[in-house]
Amino acid sequence: MGQTKYALITGASAGLGACFAQQLAQRGWSLILIARRTDRLQQLAQQLQHQHNIDAQIITADLAQADAAQKIYQHCQTQQWSVAMLVNNAGYGLPGDFDEPSWPQHQAQLNVMLNSLVELTYLFYPAMKKARYGRIIQVASLAGLAPPTAGHTLYAPMKSFVIKFAHSLHLEGKDFGVHVSALCPGFTYTEFHDANGTRHRMNKLSKSLWMSADEVVAEGIAAVEANKAVKINGWRNQLIALMTRLLPDKIIRALFQKNINKYRKRSNES
Ligand SMILES: NC(=O)c1ccc[n+]([C@@H]2O[C@H](COP(=O)([O-])OP(=O)(O)OC[C@H]3O[C@@H](n4cnc5c(N)ncnc54)[C@H](OP(=O)(O)O)[C@@H]3O)[C@@H](O)[C@H]2O)c1
């Protein structure tokens, strides 16, 4: 019998990450679930093991810590868990203008959403390449393709980086059976906007702009299986991305300023 292949998911205690765990377990993947909230991870792991007859392991980790990725990798090595799929999903928004959060808050967000994502990829990619099989989903955002906005200053630039990084690695991995995709959801029903205290603003957005976590994740898994470099979720978000590419900068920026900026929290707003 071959070695069990694991899908490692960061940010698996809620939202898209928990949904990735559900859908991958349904497809027979064993799981390594990562986040800070151990109780949630334990509950999810027990439920999925029971429902789908898979192995589900948990690692409690704060990805804001500089050594988190290395510790996760070492633990997987020690346990001989062979990671064939990596879903770098953990992330959150930091409202306000650039000078409002403290430097440690910025640094923590950069560690969670950039450094740990790149380092986990760096650590787990070589074994996938050697095995000539691997799946990597880098959860980015439509924000990474859209014009810049004031407020939540580092979020969109980080997501742009994630998209470009995924695309570059996609080009390298395809010769070795390693599929790498950037997933770009728009507004999605998860705990994201509760976690950053902007739910009341987001509730003003048209419901037609929102997607369910289930839809986003199903499209993400299909995209990485098809080895699509960049997957934008839903036709409305695809249209926004297309307009961003085709319309003159001045017009698309003005459109964004008028609409999306209403939902970005600035420092002087409630
Ligand atoms: N929801 C949207 O509208 C939307 C749109 C585009 C892109 N995205 C992206 O989708 C990804 C998932 O977000 P979501 O919408 O599912 O949000 P969510 O429901 O709030 O889930 C966020 C996950 O990230 C984990 N996390 C946060 N900080 C962490 C840390 N320091 N260390 C380890 N884990 C941490 C949380 O776990 P713990 O708190 O237990 O640690 C949680 O499991 C993010 O990268 C986000 O940028 C979301």
Side-chain angles (χ1 to χ4, degrees):
M1 214 172 85
Q3 201 185 4
T4 305
K5 299 279 184 225
Y6 287 88
L8 186 152
I9 306 165
T10 68
S13 62
L16 291 175
C19 200
F20 268 112
Q22 298 266 5
Q23 293 197 19
L24 290 171
Q26 274 165 19
R27 288 164 170 78
W29 281 87
S30 284
L31 302 169
I32 303 164
L33 307 177
I34 295 180
R36 291 167 301 181
R37 286 172 288 181
T38 311
D39 51 340
R40 283 195 180 208
L41 294 179
Q42 270 169 345
Q43 207 182 355
L44 183 61
Q46 275 166 15
Q47 179 205 324
L48 295 178
Q49 282 193 145
H50 182 68
Q51 282 175 348
H52 301 290
N53 195 26
I54 50 123
D55 185 32
Q57 302 288 343
I58 68 162
I59 302 177
T60 305
D62 181 355
L63 296 171
Q65 301 297 316
D67 58 356
Q70 195 56 246
K71 281 186 171 163
I72 289 166
Y73 177 71
Q74 285 308 333
H75 188 68
C76 293
Q77 291 290 97
T78 309
Q79 299 295 325
Q80 298 190 318
W81 295 334
S82 168
V83 173
M85 179 180 294
L86 175 63
V87 183
N88 274 312
N89 160 76
Y92 57 95
L94 203 50
D97 284 7
F98 182 59
D99 54 356
E100 185 182 352
S102 64
W103 178 246
Q105 284 178 307
H106 277 312
Q107 199 165 38
Q109 197 190 28
L110 289 161
N111 280 346
V112 174
M113 294 173 63
L114 281 189
N115 294 337
S116 76
L117 178 147
V118 176
E119 195 174 354
L120 285 170
T121 306
Y122 184 79
L123 293 168
F124 287 106
Y125 174 72
M128 295 182 191
K129 189 172 163 183
K130 194 168 164 213
R132 299 189 88 82
Y133 180 90
R135 302 286 183 264
I136 300 176
I137 299 176
Q138 311 288 25
V139 179
S141 170
L142 180 65
L145 299 164
T149 55
H152 307 235
T153 329
L154 293 180
Y155 185 82
M158 285 195 288
K159 293 304 194 183
S160 297
F161 173 95
V162 170
I163 295 165
K164 271 272 164 72
F165 169 52
H167 208 148
S168 299
L169 196 62
H170 163 88
L171 295 171
E172 295 177 20
K174 68 188 174 68
D175 294 334
F176 300 94
V178 184
H179 296 189
V180 184
S181 300
L183 185 64
C184 301
F187 298 115
T188 309
Y189 289 116
T190 66
E191 296 175 22
F192 185 94
H193 299 100
D194 306 305
N196 74 7
T198 57
R199 177 64 64 200
H200 62 295
R201 288 169 169 268
M202 305 314 288
N203 283 343
K204 294 180 203 151
L205 263 176
S206 161
K207 287 207 173 3
S208 66
L209 287 174
W210 289 83
M211 287 179 74
S212 72
D214 263 327
E215 287 174 280
V216 167
V217 165
E219 289 185 4
I221 295 171
V224 82
E225 283 308 328
N227 206 13
K228 200 168 170 23
V230 180
K231 173 66 191 173
I232 302 165
N233 293 105
W235 69 265
R236 286 183 182 81
N237 297 324
Q238 286 165 15
L239 186 65
I240 292 169
L242 186 69
M243 281 165 56
T244 302
R245 282 215 310 275
L246 297 183
L247 289 178
D249 237 26
K250 211 170 150 188
I251 295 176
I252 190 76
R253 274 168 208 252
L255 272 173
F256 256 70
Q257 204 72 24
K258 192 159 168 265
N259 293 300
I260 302 296
N261 275 359
K262 277 189 262 177
Y263 309 102
R264 288 267 182 266
K265 185 178 175 299
R266 305 289 304 279
S267 292
N268 52 355
E269 296 167 347
S270 63

